[in-house]
Amino acid sequence: MNHDNTVLIGPSLLAADFSQLENQISLVEKAGADLIHLDVMDGIFVPNISFGIPVIESIRQKTDLFFDTHLMITNPLRYIEAFKKAGADSLTIHIEACPEPQSLFSEMRQLGLKVGLAVNPQTPVDKLFPFLEQIDVALVMSVEPGFGGQIFQTDSISKIIKLRSEIEIRQLPVHIQVDGGINLTNSSSCIEAGATQIVAGSAIFGNPNPNQIINKMRK
Ligand code: DX5
Ligand code: ZN
């Protein structure tokens, strides 16, 4: 495989105890998290509301971890600058919310943000292909977005394989991120298929020993 073999682990803050965000972030930071995955939901694109700009701004004061911001919102263009100001390092938008994402990508680049593009389980992964030259991260959702703690959809594996093969053919430095229902029983199949960024919420925050989970997931 041509891509960088290092696998990055991103705990999803959605599964943290929100009354103790600072402690929870420091817990996973000490446990070796490579980034922190921030799930922003607007109650329209997905049937749930999580947290947004002010929360990101507050936790930015508490950690230097990379803020990988997953925008499950209908109109991300309106908020790109605000997320940047709040301290986001990357923004991942959904192709289902933005079928023509180029103008968003250029704004993100101008602001110095890394660029991610996501597909829902029901969206064919080919929808990402026209944009692979323009993005840093392609996110394959392995559950319907909106809630943590769901069951991993196994057909995500074939989507990762297809995407990895396209990325290899074009020799692009694009990371494949997989998000939803990831635990120690399925993380290795995702990595084998070509994922280089593993997002996990409940498996990491729900475990008394996140350090062990993070290290095992990387393998
Ligand atoms: C789902 C979110 C995921 C979620 C993952 O809409 O995008 O990031 O928090 O949580 P687990 O690992 O519990 O499925
Ligand atoms: Zn997510």
Side-chain angles (χ1 to χ4, degrees):
M1 259 186 271
N2 204 13
H3 64 89
D4 182 354
N5 279 327
T6 326
V7 174
L8 306 180
I9 309 296
S12 166
L13 199 64
L14 193 62
D17 176 349
F18 284 4
S19 69
Q20 305 190 47
L21 284 180
E22 184 176 2
N23 292 342
Q24 297 274 278
I25 293 167
S26 128
L27 185 78
V28 292
E29 191 167 6
K30 288 190 189 118
D34 301 289
L35 46 94
I36 188 109
H37 183 84
L38 303 172
D39 287 305
V40 177
M41 304 178 184
D42 66 353
I44 299 171
F45 182 71
V46 290
N48 195 11
I49 300 176
S50 54
F51 53 80
I53 293 154
V55 170
I56 296 177
E57 202 173 352
S58 301
I59 58 175
R60 184 71 288 176
Q61 315 308 313
K62 306 294 181 188
T63 178
D64 291 327
L65 270 176
F66 186 94
F67 277 2
D68 169 47
T69 317
H70 180 190
L71 298 183
M72 287 161 276
I73 65 177
T74 40
N75 190 351
L77 182 60
R78 280 175 70 179
Y79 303 102
I80 291 175
E81 204 174 342
F83 278 109
K84 168 68 186 178
K85 281 196 184 134
D89 293 297
S90 72
L91 297 182
T92 296
I93 59 173
H94 271 262
I95 188 77
E96 299 85 2
C98 313
E100 287 173 15
Q102 285 93 340
S103 56
L104 285 85
F105 294 161
S106 20
E107 184 166 347
M108 288 187 217
R109 292 283 178 215
Q110 270 168 23
L111 292 167
L113 287 160
K114 295 279 187 198
V115 172
L117 188 60
V119 273
N120 280 341
Q122 282 161 29
T123 306
V125 75
D126 324 36
K127 294 275 179 207
L128 298 178
F129 289 1
F131 308 106
L132 292 177
E133 270 81 9
Q134 300 162 45
I135 63 177
D136 302 295
V137 178
L139 166 54
V140 175
M141 285 305 298
S142 40
V143 299
E144 280 304 325
F147 300 91
Q150 302 181 74
I151 306 287
F152 179 81
Q153 299 191 15
T154 45
D155 49 359
S156 316
I157 296 291
S158 54
K159 291 172 86 173
I160 297 171
I161 293 174
K162 200 168 173 189
L163 185 56
R164 173 52 63 198
S165 135
E166 190 65 22
I167 289 170
E168 295 303 310
I169 289 168
R170 300 198 215 166
Q171 299 197 301
L172 297 170
V174 178
H175 271 283
I176 298 179
Q177 184 177 82
V178 57
D179 177 17
I182 314 257
N183 53 39
L184 282 182
T185 56
N186 53 37
S187 55
S188 53
S189 341
C190 295
I191 294 169
E192 207 122 292
T196 50
Q197 293 187 3
I198 301 288
V199 171
S202 11
I204 293 177
F205 282 104
N207 193 288
N209 197 345
N211 187 19
Q212 229 176 44
I213 298 284
I214 289 176
N215 284 328
K216 283 191 184 157
M217 270 188 177
R218 232 189 288 276
K219 288 177 187 133

